[in-house]
Amino acid sequence: MLRGSLFATARRAFSVSAAARAVKVGDVAPHFQLVNTQFKTVKLEDFLGKKTVFAFYPAAFSGSEKSGCELQLCSLKPIAEKGITVLGVSSDFVFAQKAWKAKLELPFELVSDHKLDMSMKYVGAIDLGTFLDKAGVSQHLGSYMASARGVVAIDERGKVIFTWVGKDENGALHPGKPVDMAGLKKALGI
């Protein structure tokens, strides 16, 4: 039992410290290299020269049209249709990302951050399993780490112009909070 509680403490510290390192407006966007649904490598340099929105979400095939990850990604369709590049990021494997992109008919690419490397640099990670267990949605999923819900926008030079991470009233990461779309659109000038 002691060993399990030590791991739980480490996971909580992992989530909190990750959020503390999230990028801030004015920062240069950190480098990343991930695989998209076409099994092609994408990296930060591919997005320089255009405004880009990185949408971090905890899990594919979650939420609905009115809440959660599905709402988050579908609400970005009009932004993509205005010519802004959008990239969805989660820890789901490429196969799940590809199927979910097709289901939602997304006009933008999704990438697999299965090691949470990009998520940790940009928005942090959350113990989604423990969150869902405590909410009564699941049992025994504790320690399932996922990207925190967040959005980061960069300008053409790769400088962060907007950042939002889902948090509750106490400042703890919360995967169920809706994205500040008005703030995002203002930062993008649309």
Side-chain angles (χ1 to χ4, degrees):
M1 185 65 171
L2 176 60
R3 184 172 186 225
S5 66
L6 287 174
F7 285 122
T9 301
R11 283 191 305 274
R12 282 191 298 278
F14 179 75
S15 296
V16 171
S17 65
R21 291 192 309 263
V23 295
K24 296 180 181 21
V25 171
D27 288 352
V28 173
H31 175 76
F32 65 87
Q33 184 171 320
L34 299 171
V35 176
N36 68 15
T37 64
Q38 304 303 312
F39 298 93
K40 294 183 179 168
T41 299
V42 296
K43 52 193 179 301
L44 175 65
E45 293 77 14
D46 298 333
F47 301 95
L48 298 179
K50 51 194 162 193
K51 288 182 182 175
T52 304
V53 174
F54 301 120
F56 296 86
Y57 57 98
F61 294 98
S62 64
S64 68
E65 293 175 3
K66 296 181 181 180
S67 69
C69 298
E70 184 173 336
L71 171 66
Q72 178 185 5
L73 291 182
C74 288
S75 68
L76 293 169
K77 287 180 183 180
I79 289 175
E81 290 164 359
K82 290 189 183 290
I84 305 291
T85 302
V86 176
L87 183 70
V89 183
S90 84
S91 61
D92 296 291
F93 282 102
V94 173
F95 306 103
Q97 299 276 34
K98 186 172 186 166
W100 205 39
K101 178 183 178 192
K103 177 187 181 279
L104 298 180
E105 299 178 352
L106 297 174
F108 51 84
E109 196 55 74
L110 305 178
V111 293
S112 175
D113 186 18
H114 66 275
K115 293 182 182 177
L116 296 171
D117 292 337
M118 182 181 183
S119 298
M120 293 291 290
K121 294 175 188 176
Y122 282 75
V123 298
I126 185 170
D127 183 343
L128 183 63
T130 297
F131 178 88
L132 294 174
D133 286 351
K134 287 181 178 179
V137 174
S138 62
Q139 294 179 356
H140 313 296
L141 281 181
S143 81
Y144 174 74
M145 297 300 292
S147 174
R149 182 175 314 286
V151 173
V152 174
I154 61 170
D155 67 12
E156 297 84 352
R157 296 168 292 145
K159 191 173 185 179
V160 175
I161 58 172
F162 178 82
T163 164
W164 175 90
V165 177
K167 295 183 180 179
D168 66 17
E169 58 280 350
N170 298 317
L173 293 174
H174 192 295
K177 298 297 180 185
V179 174
D180 175 10
M181 293 302 293
L184 175 60
K185 289 177 182 177
K186 182 178 178 183
L188 292 170
I190 57 174

